[in-house]
Amino acid sequence: SLGCHFSAWVWSISHTTLAHSLLCVSMHPIILNLHGHTMYYLKGKKSPTKMETRGTVVGIVGGALMMLDVAMSEDEESTSDPNTVTSPTFIGDFVAFLGAIAMAVYLLCGESLRKGTTEPPVPPMPLWLYAFPVTLFASSTCVILALASGSGDVYFYKSSNLDRSAFGFASAQYVLYCCYLGGASGVGGHTLLNTLL
């Protein structure tokens, strides 16, 4: 689920504006709140608080306003460069929102694994024992989806064409950026988020 979250977000960046992509992919708290209400009504589990629900309503209104921006921008002409996205699109926003759904599933599964369950009895999983295989599987999913995307010639590794290489990040040109992103965003972001679960 984490790999689908990353892949959906990266794909959406090329098909909508960065602001829309970030807003849509970050809507997982709204999805989690709606899931909480569903579990409350179906299974009698703890309901989200009133403040959380108010925040969800504000988020839904904000999402609706964003869709108005998409509707207005689709009426305008696009730029002459087809590789540059200057206005938001519905498909880009939708795929980013799918990334938010994938993130919500990831967080729900992670919470269950990290806390453990009583039926069947499963002990809580330590953070690093959980984070390593999840991150490994997510990165493998991203590579497989990149190779299967069908967006032209994507190579497993080709030093002469790093932009089309699945492992182009391993080159001297990109390796420091990737270490920073993996350390700051990966460990500092997603792993710390798992700590809070």
Side-chain angles (χ1 to χ4, degrees):
S1 182
L2 184 60
C4 293
H5 161 74
F6 289 141
S7 297
W9 179 60
V10 168
W11 188 89
S12 74
I13 291 171
S14 300
H15 295 84
T16 192
T17 62
L18 181 61
H20 272 248
S21 178
L22 286 170
L23 285 169
C24 289
V25 83
S26 299
M27 288 187 170
H28 55 274
I30 294 171
I31 298 162
L32 291 172
N33 187 277
L34 296 174
H35 175 266
H37 280 291
T38 304
M39 291 295 104
Y40 172 73
Y41 288 114
L42 294 180
K43 296 188 176 184
K45 298 205 175 188
K46 182 183 172 193
S47 175
T49 66
K50 289 182 180 180
M51 286 301 288
E52 291 169 338
T53 303
R54 288 180 189 137
T56 297
V57 170
V58 169
I60 291 171
V61 170
L65 290 173
M66 280 179 29
M67 289 297 104
L68 289 175
D69 186 28
V70 170
M72 289 188 297
S73 68
E74 286 182 349
D75 292 338
E76 299 173 5
E77 282 188 44
S78 63
T79 62
S80 58
D81 183 7
N83 295 324
T84 304
V85 177
T86 58
S87 60
T89 64
F90 177 75
I91 189 69
D93 287 4
F94 179 72
V95 171
F97 185 72
L98 290 178
I101 293 172
M103 184 64 166
V105 169
Y106 162 72
L107 291 172
L108 290 170
C109 293
E111 179 184 35
S112 174
L113 287 171
R114 292 270 299 126
K115 287 184 177 179
T117 59
T118 55
E119 291 297 325
V122 177
M125 188 177 281
L127 176 64
W128 295 106
L129 183 61
Y130 169 78
F132 179 75
V134 166
T135 305
L136 179 65
F137 188 75
S139 62
S140 301
T141 302
C142 289
V143 169
I144 290 167
L145 289 173
L147 292 171
S149 69
S151 59
D153 296 328
V154 177
Y155 307 101
F156 190 71
Y157 182 80
K158 188 172 184 180
S159 60
S160 63
N161 194 355
L162 294 175
D163 292 339
R164 307 299 300 165
S165 173
F167 290 95
F169 62 86
S171 71
Q173 181 181 357
Y174 297 120
V175 74
L176 287 177
Y177 294 115
C178 291
C179 287
Y180 167 73
L181 290 172
S185 301
V187 175
H190 287 275
T191 305
L192 288 177
L193 184 62
N194 283 307
T195 305
L196 299 174
L197 296 176

PDB file of all heavy atoms in Angstrom, residues 113-146:
ATOM      1  N   LEU A 113      -0.713  -3.905  13.063  1.00  0.00           N
ATOM      2  CA  LEU A 113       0.510  -4.690  13.250  1.00  0.00           C
ATOM      3  C   LEU A 113       1.353  -4.176  14.406  1.00  0.00           C
ATOM      4  O   LEU A 113       1.927  -4.959  15.164  1.00  0.00           O
ATOM      5  CB  LEU A 113       1.345  -4.689  11.967  1.00  0.00           C
ATOM      6  CG  LEU A 113       0.806  -5.538  10.832  1.00  0.00           C
ATOM      7  CD1 LEU A 113       1.588  -5.270   9.556  1.00  0.00           C
ATOM      8  CD2 LEU A 113       0.864  -7.014  11.193  1.00  0.00           C
ATOM      9  N   ARG A 114       1.450  -2.867  14.534  1.00  0.00           N
ATOM     10  CA  ARG A 114       2.297  -2.293  15.583  1.00  0.00           C
ATOM     11  C   ARG A 114       1.700  -2.492  16.976  1.00  0.00           C
ATOM     12  O   ARG A 114       2.424  -2.684  17.934  1.00  0.00           O
ATOM     13  CB  ARG A 114       2.519  -0.807  15.332  1.00  0.00           C
ATOM     14  CG  ARG A 114       3.344  -0.509  14.122  1.00  0.00           C
ATOM     15  CD  ARG A 114       4.826  -0.429  14.374  1.00  0.00           C
ATOM     16  NE  ARG A 114       5.131   0.629  15.310  1.00  0.00           N
ATOM     17  CZ  ARG A 114       5.833   0.438  16.419  1.00  0.00           C
ATOM     18  NH1 ARG A 114       6.307  -0.726  16.713  1.00  0.00           N
ATOM     19  NH2 ARG A 114       6.058   1.441  17.240  1.00  0.00           N
ATOM     20  N   LYS A 115       0.383  -2.457  17.097  1.00  0.00           N
ATOM     21  CA  LYS A 115      -0.252  -2.634  18.405  1.00  0.00           C
ATOM     22  C   LYS A 115      -0.465  -4.094  18.757  1.00  0.00           C
ATOM     23  O   LYS A 115      -0.606  -4.445  19.914  1.00  0.00           O
ATOM     24  CB  LYS A 115      -1.599  -1.902  18.441  1.00  0.00           C
ATOM     25  CG  LYS A 115      -1.461  -0.408  18.518  1.00  0.00           C
ATOM     26  CD  LYS A 115      -2.813   0.241  18.642  1.00  0.00           C
ATOM     27  CE  LYS A 115      -2.669   1.740  18.799  1.00  0.00           C
ATOM     28  NZ  LYS A 115      -3.974   2.400  18.892  1.00  0.00           N
ATOM     29  N   GLY A 116      -0.540  -4.958  17.741  1.00  0.00           N
ATOM     30  CA  GLY A 116      -0.862  -6.356  17.979  1.00  0.00           C
ATOM     31  C   GLY A 116      -2.370  -6.533  18.063  1.00  0.00           C
ATOM     32  O   GLY A 116      -3.127  -5.571  18.114  1.00  0.00           O
ATOM     33  N   THR A 117      -2.815  -7.771  18.061  1.00  0.00           N
ATOM     34  CA  THR A 117      -4.253  -8.066  18.135  1.00  0.00           C
ATOM     35  C   THR A 117      -4.501  -9.134  19.188  1.00  0.00           C
ATOM     36  O   THR A 117      -3.603  -9.903  19.550  1.00  0.00           O
ATOM     37  CB  THR A 117      -4.787  -8.555  16.775  1.00  0.00           C
ATOM     38  OG1 THR A 117      -4.070  -9.732  16.385  1.00  0.00           O
ATOM     39  CG2 THR A 117      -4.641  -7.494  15.699  1.00  0.00           C
ATOM     40  N   THR A 118      -5.728  -9.181  19.675  1.00  0.00           N
ATOM     41  CA  THR A 118      -6.096 -10.204  20.659  1.00  0.00           C
ATOM     42  C   THR A 118      -6.720 -11.424  20.001  1.00  0.00           C
ATOM     43  O   THR A 118      -6.584 -12.526  20.484  1.00  0.00           O
ATOM     44  CB  THR A 118      -7.078  -9.622  21.691  1.00  0.00           C
ATOM     45  OG1 THR A 118      -8.206  -9.071  21.008  1.00  0.00           O
ATOM     46  CG2 THR A 118      -6.405  -8.554  22.534  1.00  0.00           C
ATOM     47  N   GLU A 119      -7.407 -11.239  18.900  1.00  0.00           N
ATOM     48  CA  GLU A 119      -8.037 -12.348  18.170  1.00  0.00           C
ATOM     49  C   GLU A 119      -7.664 -12.288  16.709  1.00  0.00           C
ATOM     50  O   GLU A 119      -8.129 -11.394  16.010  1.00  0.00           O
ATOM     51  CB  GLU A 119      -9.558 -12.310  18.313  1.00  0.00           C
ATOM     52  CG  GLU A 119     -10.072 -12.613  19.688  1.00  0.00           C
ATOM     53  CD  GLU A 119      -9.742 -14.017  20.156  1.00  0.00           C
ATOM     54  OE1 GLU A 119      -9.724 -14.944  19.313  1.00  0.00           O
ATOM     55  OE2 GLU A 119      -9.482 -14.199  21.341  1.00  0.00           O
ATOM     56  N   PRO A 120      -6.838 -13.128  16.191  1.00  0.00           N
ATOM     57  CA  PRO A 120      -6.001 -14.107  16.879  1.00  0.00           C
ATOM     58  C   PRO A 120      -4.880 -13.406  17.644  1.00  0.00           C
ATOM     59  O   PRO A 120      -4.523 -12.281  17.301  1.00  0.00           O
ATOM     60  CB  PRO A 120      -5.441 -14.950  15.735  1.00  0.00           C
ATOM     61  CG  PRO A 120      -5.401 -14.028  14.573  1.00  0.00           C
ATOM     62  CD  PRO A 120      -6.580 -13.107  14.756  1.00  0.00           C
ATOM     63  N   PRO A 121      -4.343 -14.062  18.665  1.00  0.00           N
ATOM     64  CA  PRO A 121      -3.316 -13.393  19.469  1.00  0.00           C
ATOM     65  C   PRO A 121      -2.022 -13.154  18.681  1.00  0.00           C
ATOM     66  O   PRO A 121      -1.356 -14.091  18.250  1.00  0.00           O
ATOM     67  CB  PRO A 121      -3.074 -14.366  20.627  1.00  0.00           C
ATOM     68  CG  PRO A 121      -3.627 -15.669  20.183  1.00  0.00           C
ATOM     69  CD  PRO A 121      -4.657 -15.405  19.138  1.00  0.00           C
ATOM     70  N   VAL A 122      -1.740 -11.883  18.447  1.00  0.00           N
ATOM     71  CA  VAL A 122      -0.521 -11.478  17.745  1.00  0.00           C
ATOM     72  C   VAL A 122       0.154 -10.420  18.607  1.00  0.00           C
ATOM     73  O   VAL A 122      -0.470  -9.408  18.936  1.00  0.00           O
ATOM     74  CB  VAL A 122      -0.840 -10.903  16.337  1.00  0.00           C
ATOM     75  CG1 VAL A 122       0.425 -10.413  15.659  1.00  0.00           C
ATOM     76  CG2 VAL A 122      -1.537 -11.941  15.483  1.00  0.00           C
ATOM     77  N   PRO A 123       1.420 -10.638  18.983  1.00  0.00           N
ATOM     78  CA  PRO A 123       2.095  -9.642  19.829  1.00  0.00           C
ATOM     79  C   PRO A 123       2.407  -8.373  19.029  1.00  0.00           C
ATOM     80  O   PRO A 123       2.478  -8.405  17.803  1.00  0.00           O
ATOM     81  CB  PRO A 123       3.386 -10.349  20.258  1.00  0.00           C
ATOM     82  CG  PRO A 123       3.637 -11.363  19.191  1.00  0.00           C
ATOM     83  CD  PRO A 123       2.276 -11.777  18.680  1.00  0.00           C
ATOM     84  N   PRO A 124       2.595  -7.246  19.719  1.00  0.00           N
ATOM     85  CA  PRO A 124       2.974  -6.006  19.021  1.00  0.00           C
ATOM     86  C   PRO A 124       4.306  -6.169  18.303  1.00  0.00           C
ATOM     87  O   PRO A 124       5.200  -6.868  18.770  1.00  0.00           O
ATOM     88  CB  PRO A 124       3.098  -4.983  20.155  1.00  0.00           C
ATOM     89  CG  PRO A 124       2.396  -5.570  21.316  1.00  0.00           C
ATOM     90  CD  PRO A 124       2.442  -7.054  21.149  1.00  0.00           C
ATOM     91  N   MET A 125       4.418  -5.542  17.152  1.00  0.00           N
ATOM     92  CA  MET A 125       5.627  -5.649  16.352  1.00  0.00           C
ATOM     93  C   MET A 125       6.539  -4.455  16.634  1.00  0.00           C
ATOM     94  O   MET A 125       6.080  -3.316  16.604  1.00  0.00           O
ATOM     95  CB  MET A 125       5.248  -5.673  14.859  1.00  0.00           C
ATOM     96  CG  MET A 125       6.402  -5.967  13.937  1.00  0.00           C
ATOM     97  SD  MET A 125       5.881  -6.058  12.201  1.00  0.00           S
ATOM     98  CE  MET A 125       5.189  -7.688  12.152  1.00  0.00           C
ATOM     99  N   PRO A 126       7.828  -4.695  16.906  1.00  0.00           N
ATOM    100  CA  PRO A 126       8.752  -3.572  17.118  1.00  0.00           C
ATOM    101  C   PRO A 126       8.866  -2.711  15.860  1.00  0.00           C
ATOM    102  O   PRO A 126       8.713  -3.194  14.736  1.00  0.00           O
ATOM    103  CB  PRO A 126      10.087  -4.255  17.420  1.00  0.00           C
ATOM    104  CG  PRO A 126       9.747  -5.661  17.791  1.00  0.00           C
ATOM    105  CD  PRO A 126       8.470  -5.987  17.090  1.00  0.00           C
ATOM    106  N   LEU A 127       9.145  -1.427  16.067  1.00  0.00           N
ATOM    107  CA  LEU A 127       9.158  -0.460  14.973  1.00  0.00           C
ATOM    108  C   LEU A 127      10.093  -0.859  13.837  1.00  0.00           C
ATOM    109  O   LEU A 127       9.690  -0.888  12.674  1.00  0.00           O
ATOM    110  CB  LEU A 127       9.537   0.928  15.502  1.00  0.00           C
ATOM    111  CG  LEU A 127       9.686   2.014  14.442  1.00  0.00           C
ATOM    112  CD1 LEU A 127       8.352   2.273  13.764  1.00  0.00           C
ATOM    113  CD2 LEU A 127      10.226   3.284  15.067  1.00  0.00           C
ATOM    114  N   TRP A 128      11.343  -1.161  14.138  1.00  0.00           N
ATOM    115  CA  TRP A 128      12.307  -1.427  13.057  1.00  0.00           C
ATOM    116  C   TRP A 128      12.041  -2.758  12.371  1.00  0.00           C
ATOM    117  O   TRP A 128      12.315  -2.908  11.191  1.00  0.00           O
ATOM    118  CB  TRP A 128      13.733  -1.331  13.577  1.00  0.00           C
ATOM    119  CG  TRP A 128      14.016   0.065  14.005  1.00  0.00           C
ATOM    120  CD1 TRP A 128      14.121   0.536  15.283  1.00  0.00           C
ATOM    121  CD2 TRP A 128      14.136   1.206  13.152  1.00  0.00           C
ATOM    122  NE1 TRP A 128      14.320   1.894  15.276  1.00  0.00           N
ATOM    123  CE2 TRP A 128      14.338   2.336  13.976  1.00  0.00           C
ATOM    124  CE3 TRP A 128      14.104   1.399  11.775  1.00  0.00           C
ATOM    125  CZ2 TRP A 128      14.501   3.617  13.480  1.00  0.00           C
ATOM    126  CZ3 TRP A 128      14.265   2.680  11.279  1.00  0.00           C
ATOM    127  CH2 TRP A 128      14.461   3.762  12.112  1.00  0.00           C
ATOM    128  N   LEU A 129      11.480  -3.716  13.102  1.00  0.00           N
ATOM    129  CA  LEU A 129      11.100  -4.973  12.480  1.00  0.00           C
ATOM    130  C   LEU A 129       9.944  -4.759  11.501  1.00  0.00           C
ATOM    131  O   LEU A 129       9.838  -5.434  10.485  1.00  0.00           O
ATOM    132  CB  LEU A 129      10.713  -6.004  13.547  1.00  0.00           C
ATOM    133  CG  LEU A 129      10.358  -7.394  13.050  1.00  0.00           C
ATOM    134  CD1 LEU A 129      11.544  -8.023  12.320  1.00  0.00           C
ATOM    135  CD2 LEU A 129       9.925  -8.264  14.211  1.00  0.00           C
ATOM    136  N   TYR A 130       9.100  -3.794  11.794  1.00  0.00           N
ATOM    137  CA  TYR A 130       7.985  -3.435  10.910  1.00  0.00           C
ATOM    138  C   TYR A 130       8.458  -2.560   9.750  1.00  0.00           C
ATOM    139  O   TYR A 130       8.114  -2.793   8.594  1.00  0.00           O
ATOM    140  CB  TYR A 130       6.908  -2.713  11.716  1.00  0.00           C
ATOM    141  CG  TYR A 130       5.841  -2.066  10.878  1.00  0.00           C
ATOM    142  CD1 TYR A 130       4.827  -2.827  10.315  1.00  0.00           C
ATOM    143  CD2 TYR A 130       5.862  -0.699  10.628  1.00  0.00           C
ATOM    144  CE1 TYR A 130       3.854  -2.238   9.530  1.00  0.00           C
ATOM    145  CE2 TYR A 130       4.881  -0.111   9.853  1.00  0.00           C
ATOM    146  CZ  TYR A 130       3.891  -0.882   9.304  1.00  0.00           C
ATOM    147  OH  TYR A 130       2.934  -0.297   8.529  1.00  0.00           O
ATOM    148  N   ALA A 131       9.257  -1.535  10.041  1.00  0.00           N
ATOM    149  CA  ALA A 131       9.611  -0.521   9.041  1.00  0.00           C
ATOM    150  C   ALA A 131      10.480  -1.073   7.920  1.00  0.00           C
ATOM    151  O   ALA A 131      10.306  -0.700   6.759  1.00  0.00           O
ATOM    152  CB  ALA A 131      10.308   0.655   9.712  1.00  0.00           C
ATOM    153  N   PHE A 132      11.433  -1.953   8.227  1.00  0.00           N
ATOM    154  CA  PHE A 132      12.333  -2.435   7.188  1.00  0.00           C
ATOM    155  C   PHE A 132      11.622  -3.202   6.085  1.00  0.00           C
ATOM    156  O   PHE A 132      11.760  -2.863   4.903  1.00  0.00           O
ATOM    157  CB  PHE A 132      13.478  -3.271   7.791  1.00  0.00           C
ATOM    158  CG  PHE A 132      14.417  -3.798   6.745  1.00  0.00           C
ATOM    159  CD1 PHE A 132      15.334  -2.951   6.140  1.00  0.00           C
ATOM    160  CD2 PHE A 132      14.359  -5.113   6.352  1.00  0.00           C
ATOM    161  CE1 PHE A 132      16.188  -3.429   5.153  1.00  0.00           C
ATOM    162  CE2 PHE A 132      15.199  -5.600   5.369  1.00  0.00           C
ATOM    163  CZ  PHE A 132      16.126  -4.751   4.770  1.00  0.00           C
ATOM    164  N   PRO A 133      10.844  -4.264   6.394  1.00  0.00           N
ATOM    165  CA  PRO A 133      10.180  -4.978   5.292  1.00  0.00           C
ATOM    166  C   PRO A 133       9.136  -4.135   4.563  1.00  0.00           C
ATOM    167  O   PRO A 133       8.956  -4.274   3.349  1.00  0.00           O
ATOM    168  CB  PRO A 133       9.545  -6.203   5.957  1.00  0.00           C
ATOM    169  CG  PRO A 133       9.615  -5.986   7.399  1.00  0.00           C
ATOM    170  CD  PRO A 133      10.618  -4.930   7.674  1.00  0.00           C
ATOM    171  N   VAL A 134       8.465  -3.250   5.292  1.00  0.00           N
ATOM    172  CA  VAL A 134       7.465  -2.398   4.638  1.00  0.00           C
ATOM    173  C   VAL A 134       8.140  -1.466   3.635  1.00  0.00           C
ATOM    174  O   VAL A 134       7.686  -1.310   2.500  1.00  0.00           O
ATOM    175  CB  VAL A 134       6.657  -1.593   5.693  1.00  0.00           C
ATOM    176  CG1 VAL A 134       5.880  -0.470   5.054  1.00  0.00           C
ATOM    177  CG2 VAL A 134       5.724  -2.508   6.442  1.00  0.00           C
ATOM    178  N   THR A 135       9.251  -0.854   4.040  1.00  0.00           N
ATOM    179  CA  THR A 135       9.974   0.053   3.143  1.00  0.00           C
ATOM    180  C   THR A 135      10.583  -0.710   1.972  1.00  0.00           C
ATOM    181  O   THR A 135      10.554  -0.228   0.835  1.00  0.00           O
ATOM    182  CB  THR A 135      11.069   0.804   3.924  1.00  0.00           C
ATOM    183  OG1 THR A 135      10.457   1.456   5.043  1.00  0.00           O
ATOM    184  CG2 THR A 135      11.759   1.833   3.063  1.00  0.00           C
ATOM    185  N   LEU A 136      11.120  -1.889   2.221  1.00  0.00           N
ATOM    186  CA  LEU A 136      11.678  -2.717   1.146  1.00  0.00           C
ATOM    187  C   LEU A 136      10.596  -3.092   0.138  1.00  0.00           C
ATOM    188  O   LEU A 136      10.787  -2.976  -1.078  1.00  0.00           O
ATOM    189  CB  LEU A 136      12.327  -3.973   1.728  1.00  0.00           C
ATOM    190  CG  LEU A 136      12.938  -4.938   0.719  1.00  0.00           C
ATOM    191  CD1 LEU A 136      14.124  -4.286   0.007  1.00  0.00           C
ATOM    192  CD2 LEU A 136      13.361  -6.223   1.409  1.00  0.00           C
ATOM    193  N   PHE A 137       9.430  -3.519   0.635  1.00  0.00           N
ATOM    194  CA  PHE A 137       8.338  -3.888  -0.260  1.00  0.00           C
ATOM    195  C   PHE A 137       7.807  -2.672  -1.017  1.00  0.00           C
ATOM    196  O   PHE A 137       7.497  -2.756  -2.211  1.00  0.00           O
ATOM    197  CB  PHE A 137       7.212  -4.564   0.524  1.00  0.00           C
ATOM    198  CG  PHE A 137       6.149  -5.138  -0.358  1.00  0.00           C
ATOM    199  CD1 PHE A 137       6.363  -6.308  -1.053  1.00  0.00           C
ATOM    200  CD2 PHE A 137       4.934  -4.495  -0.499  1.00  0.00           C
ATOM    201  CE1 PHE A 137       5.387  -6.830  -1.889  1.00  0.00           C
ATOM    202  CE2 PHE A 137       3.946  -5.010  -1.326  1.00  0.00           C
ATOM    203  CZ  PHE A 137       4.178  -6.190  -2.024  1.00  0.00           C
ATOM    204  N   ALA A 138       7.739  -1.513  -0.352  1.00  0.00           N
ATOM    205  CA  ALA A 138       7.268  -0.290  -1.008  1.00  0.00           C
ATOM    206  C   ALA A 138       8.219   0.121  -2.126  1.00  0.00           C
ATOM    207  O   ALA A 138       7.778   0.483  -3.223  1.00  0.00           O
ATOM    208  CB  ALA A 138       7.128   0.841   0.005  1.00  0.00           C
ATOM    209  N   SER A 139       9.517   0.055  -1.866  1.00  0.00           N
ATOM    210  CA  SER A 139      10.477   0.438  -2.917  1.00  0.00           C
ATOM    211  C   SER A 139      10.427  -0.554  -4.075  1.00  0.00           C
ATOM    212  O   SER A 139      10.518  -0.159  -5.242  1.00  0.00           O
ATOM    213  CB  SER A 139      11.888   0.544  -2.348  1.00  0.00           C
ATOM    214  OG  SER A 139      12.323  -0.696  -1.838  1.00  0.00           O
ATOM    215  N   SER A 140      10.253  -1.842  -3.776  1.00  0.00           N
ATOM    216  CA  SER A 140      10.130  -2.843  -4.846  1.00  0.00           C
ATOM    217  C   SER A 140       8.873  -2.595  -5.672  1.00  0.00           C
ATOM    218  O   SER A 140       8.901  -2.704  -6.904  1.00  0.00           O
ATOM    219  CB  SER A 140      10.076  -4.254  -4.241  1.00  0.00           C
ATOM    220  OG  SER A 140      11.223  -4.514  -3.497  1.00  0.00           O
ATOM    221  N   THR A 141       7.782  -2.252  -5.005  1.00  0.00           N
ATOM    222  CA  THR A 141       6.542  -1.939  -5.716  1.00  0.00           C
ATOM    223  C   THR A 141       6.723  -0.741  -6.635  1.00  0.00           C
ATOM    224  O   THR A 141       6.270  -0.758  -7.786  1.00  0.00           O
ATOM    225  CB  THR A 141       5.409  -1.651  -4.709  1.00  0.00           C
ATOM    226  OG1 THR A 141       5.242  -2.775  -3.862  1.00  0.00           O
ATOM    227  CG2 THR A 141       4.104  -1.351  -5.410  1.00  0.00           C
ATOM    228  N   CYS A 142       7.408   0.291  -6.153  1.00  0.00           N
ATOM    229  CA  CYS A 142       7.646   1.483  -6.978  1.00  0.00           C
ATOM    230  C   CYS A 142       8.473   1.152  -8.212  1.00  0.00           C
ATOM    231  O   CYS A 142       8.182   1.629  -9.312  1.00  0.00           O
ATOM    232  CB  CYS A 142       8.342   2.574  -6.155  1.00  0.00           C
ATOM    233  SG  CYS A 142       7.286   3.330  -4.915  1.00  0.00           S
ATOM    234  N   VAL A 143       9.509   0.324  -8.054  1.00  0.00           N
ATOM    235  CA  VAL A 143      10.355  -0.052  -9.195  1.00  0.00           C
ATOM    236  C   VAL A 143       9.541  -0.864 -10.197  1.00  0.00           C
ATOM    237  O   VAL A 143       9.592  -0.618 -11.409  1.00  0.00           O
ATOM    238  CB  VAL A 143      11.611  -0.819  -8.731  1.00  0.00           C
ATOM    239  CG1 VAL A 143      12.336  -1.439  -9.909  1.00  0.00           C
ATOM    240  CG2 VAL A 143      12.533   0.110  -7.966  1.00  0.00           C
ATOM    241  N   ILE A 144       8.765  -1.823  -9.714  1.00  0.00           N
ATOM    242  CA  ILE A 144       7.954  -2.655 -10.612  1.00  0.00           C
ATOM    243  C   ILE A 144       6.937  -1.792 -11.367  1.00  0.00           C
ATOM    244  O   ILE A 144       6.764  -1.936 -12.582  1.00  0.00           O
ATOM    245  CB  ILE A 144       7.259  -3.782  -9.821  1.00  0.00           C
ATOM    246  CG1 ILE A 144       8.293  -4.796  -9.358  1.00  0.00           C
ATOM    247  CG2 ILE A 144       6.167  -4.442 -10.651  1.00  0.00           C
ATOM    248  CD1 ILE A 144       7.793  -5.783  -8.317  1.00  0.00           C
ATOM    249  N   LEU A 145       6.276  -0.881 -10.665  1.00  0.00           N
ATOM    250  CA  LEU A 145       5.302  -0.009 -11.331  1.00  0.00           C
ATOM    251  C   LEU A 145       5.976   0.932 -12.325  1.00  0.00           C
ATOM    252  O   LEU A 145       5.411   1.233 -13.378  1.00  0.00           O
ATOM    253  CB  LEU A 145       4.496   0.774 -10.301  1.00  0.00           C
ATOM    254  CG  LEU A 145       3.502  -0.051  -9.479  1.00  0.00           C
ATOM    255  CD1 LEU A 145       2.884   0.790  -8.372  1.00  0.00           C
ATOM    256  CD2 LEU A 145       2.429  -0.647 -10.368  1.00  0.00           C
ATOM    257  N   ALA A 146       7.181   1.391 -12.008  1.00  0.00           N
ATOM    258  CA  ALA A 146       7.910   2.252 -12.953  1.00  0.00           C
ATOM    259  C   ALA A 146       8.277   1.478 -14.208  1.00  0.00           C
ATOM    260  O   ALA A 146       8.143   1.987 -15.323  1.00  0.00           O
ATOM    261  CB  ALA A 146       9.158   2.821 -12.287  1.00  0.00           C
TER     262      ALA A 146
END
